[in-house]
Amino acid sequence: MAELAESLRSELDRYPVGGKLPSSRALVERYRVSPVTVSRALAQLAAEGLVVTRPGAGAYRARPRTADPAHGDTSWQEVTLSAEGAGELVPRSVDASGVLVCLTTPPTGVIGLNSGYLHPSIQPERAMAAALARAGRRPGAWGRPPTEGLPELRDWFAREIGGAVAAADVLVTAGGQSALTTALRALAQPGAPVLVESPTYPGLLAIARASGLRPVPVPVDADGVRPELLAAAFEATGARVFVCQPLFQNPTGAVLSAARRPEVLRIARAAGAFVVEDDYARALAHEDAGPPPATLAAEDADGVVVHVRSLTKATSPSLRVGALAARGPVLDRLRAIQVVDSFFVPRPLQEAALELVGAPAWPRHLRAVAAELRHRRDVLAGALRRELPGLELSHLPSGGYQLWTRLTGGGDDATFAAGALRAGVAVAPGRPFFCAEPPGQYIRLGFAGVSGPGELVEAVQRLRGGVPGLPANPVEGIRTAP
């Protein structure tokens, strides 16, 4: 689509203002692309103000835009925005740099190992399109949904979470990020500490800081968060919230061990604290992972756990449908904050999600993703083992979409990321995953967002030849956990 849009953009001077461009059928035949590609390319030019599309008539060259008006003086905002946080214990800064590293689409020709989403080739596009079409034909599909979400969708989420969680305990949210934002706003007041895993997902740190909270790190190893350090952190800070990813933790891929799971709940309960369980990757288990452990929410009898999950990671970045589950008085607070912030999740999106997860194609898609992610993980790990001993992998995950590697030569992660981009590979530097000083220099390499395993091998080869100071002689292998 981008190539076609660029080609059409370069030819616009051939047409007078108001002149008609070739028909969509003519463009399909000329460029040998699909009608959908033509439609998207023309939509891109229309968004840029270069063409005007008229349904049933075609596309026409638009009148050039006049020069932008002179900009006013906005320097006063620096004083106002700085003064806003002067009286707060924790100024509410909004730093989205760590999130944007993972969301930015790499330029053409750059292999994106920075993505946290499935490549379109392994998204259930046909199943989603069919679900959306069926949802659109449902009576009342465009009506106002219940503020808590469609009852059938809440029931599906409750069954997926398990344990004593019922549909009445579930709120449908606009994805996992929205659910985490609601949870932190409900559970902690500005200036309060919130315990987080270290390292952890940069989007969580951004939410906490934007809410005026003070994230406090609790180290993670291959078995998940360390209970003795969690207990010490609660005692030292007086925190009342701990946010964790017990299953395929981002970025390490760690799974909270069976021995530590009850300990985490016991420690939080003794501290009078909530555990926010971000169960983002349950649908991203690899083919060799075995049965996943139950959710912490399913093992919680006292309302300690506030559970977060989303359909987005296993489907598409645009299917932003998730859930918050909690029991006890906290549910009313969660509901109130969500209603104030967003009213409700659009009903057509909820209906489409319900159609998707109820279709025979859904379990087939999950099996296909499990097999594909395992294959990609093994291909990337094998390529690193052969080509880049300077990137150490201490844990081979059995779920998720990333490998967490450490620079062994004392290099800097930001310098590595910049060199990788010059070599044609986008990676995520490790520093944004820590809320305090990192114990080493790390790089996160995602394997779900590329077109196929071949691109993973090509990416490692580019890194080997294009990043200065990185050892590239083949060695016996990188260290991996069993």
Side-chain angles (χ1 to χ4, degrees):
M1 186 278 289
E3 294 179 0
L4 177 58
E6 179 58 32
S7 180
L8 295 176
R9 194 181 292 112
S10 65
E11 295 181 359
L12 281 179
D13 287 341
R14 296 182 182 180
Y15 306 97
V17 172
K20 185 176 182 180
L21 275 65
S23 68
S24 295
R25 178 176 296 179
L27 293 175
V28 166
E29 295 175 354
R30 177 180 172 186
Y31 289 98
R32 298 185 181 277
V33 295
S34 71
V36 172
T37 299
V38 170
S39 176
R40 290 178 175 174
L42 291 175
Q44 175 64 36
L45 297 185
E48 296 173 7
L50 299 177
V51 303
V52 176
T53 57
R54 299 171 186 167
Y60 300 81
R61 184 180 177 186
R63 184 175 302 279
R65 292 175 175 172
T66 57
D68 292 334
H71 294 290
D73 180 9
T74 61
S75 58
W76 63 271
Q77 294 184 5
E78 296 183 42
V79 177
T80 300
L81 293 175
S82 298
E84 182 185 54
E88 299 180 6
L89 293 175
V90 182
R92 284 180 285 179
S93 60
V94 182
D95 181 4
S97 58
V99 181
L100 290 174
V101 165
C102 304
L103 291 179
T104 300
T105 301
T108 302
V110 174
I111 299 175
L113 302 188
N114 60 321
S115 175
Y117 296 108
L118 300 181
H119 188 269
S121 63
I122 50 177
Q123 293 176 15
E125 287 194 334
R126 294 180 62 182
M128 288 189 295
L132 190 60
R134 293 193 301 271
R137 294 193 295 268
R138 284 188 170 193
W142 289 93
R144 189 182 73 185
T147 54
E148 297 88 349
L150 297 179
E152 302 91 338
L153 188 56
R154 296 169 71 196
D155 182 66
W156 181 84
F157 274 119
R159 285 185 276 111
E160 289 290 303
I161 296 167
V165 176
D169 303 322
V170 175
L171 305 175
V172 177
T173 68
Q177 187 77 354
S178 174
L180 286 171
T181 301
T182 297
L184 287 190
R185 288 187 58 200
L187 302 177
Q189 62 183 1
V194 56
L195 305 187
V196 300
E197 294 171 313
S198 183
T200 192
Y201 163 55
L204 169 63
L205 299 179
I207 292 170
R209 289 167 176 151
S211 301
L213 304 177
R214 178 164 54 90
V216 177
V218 184
V220 170
D221 61 22
D223 290 323
V225 68
R226 295 173 56 184
E228 75 281 9
L229 296 182
L230 178 64
F234 272 126
E235 183 177 357
T237 65
R240 292 294 179 264
V241 182
F242 169 51
V243 187
C244 65
Q245 295 175 328
L247 189 62
F248 313 134
Q249 198 258 357
N250 181 9
T252 66
V255 176
L256 187 62
S257 69
R260 292 184 182 183
R261 293 165 63 85
E263 275 293 284
V264 168
L265 294 179
R266 182 191 62 78
I267 291 168
R269 180 68 182 86
F274 289 98
V275 174
V276 178
E277 178 186 23
D278 181 8
D279 198 23
Y280 83 102
R282 187 161 292 269
L284 301 180
H286 300 168
E287 194 176 41
D288 59 349
T295 64
L296 289 181
E299 300 177 359
D300 168 37
D302 299 324
V304 171
V305 177
V306 174
H307 182 90
V308 173
R309 69 165 48 200
S310 171
L311 286 171
T312 305
K313 290 294 186 186
T315 55
S316 160
S318 290
L319 188 61
R320 304 209 63 79
V321 175
L324 262 174
R327 290 183 294 127
V330 69
L331 183 63
D332 289 334
R333 184 179 295 187
L334 292 167
R335 181 188 294 111
I337 290 178
Q338 175 168 291
V339 168
V340 169
D341 282 350
S342 58
F343 290 176
F344 45 76
V345 176
R347 182 162 190 152
L349 204 55
Q350 293 191 56
E351 297 277 10
L354 191 57
E355 288 281 354
L356 177 64
V357 299
W362 179 244
R364 291 199 299 270
H365 166 66
L366 294 182
R367 289 193 297 269
V369 168
E372 182 64 20
L373 291 182
R374 176 191 181 182
H375 180 48
R376 291 177 176 220
R377 176 205 67 192
D378 291 345
V379 168
L380 180 56
L384 292 173
R385 182 181 300 114
R386 292 189 305 272
E387 310 285 357
L388 292 179
L391 284 181
E392 176 188 84
L393 176 64
S394 60
H395 174 68
L396 193 66
S398 57
Y401 54 81
Q402 74 279 335
L403 298 182
W404 183 240
T405 65
R406 183 175 182 271
L407 290 166
T408 60
D412 176 73
D413 61 325
T415 301
F416 179 94
L421 192 59
R422 289 192 296 271
V425 182
V427 303
R431 183 62 187 86
F433 293 81
F434 294 90
C435 66
E437 291 78 3
Q441 301 298 327
Y442 293 87
I443 300 293
R444 194 189 74 170
L445 303 175
F447 47 79
V450 298
S451 63
E455 273 202 325
L456 297 173
V457 175
E458 171 67 19
V460 173
Q461 291 173 346
R462 291 185 185 184
L463 293 175
R464 179 192 63 186
V467 180
L470 187 66
N473 296 324
V475 296
E476 188 64 25
I478 55 178
R479 293 192 298 110
T480 59

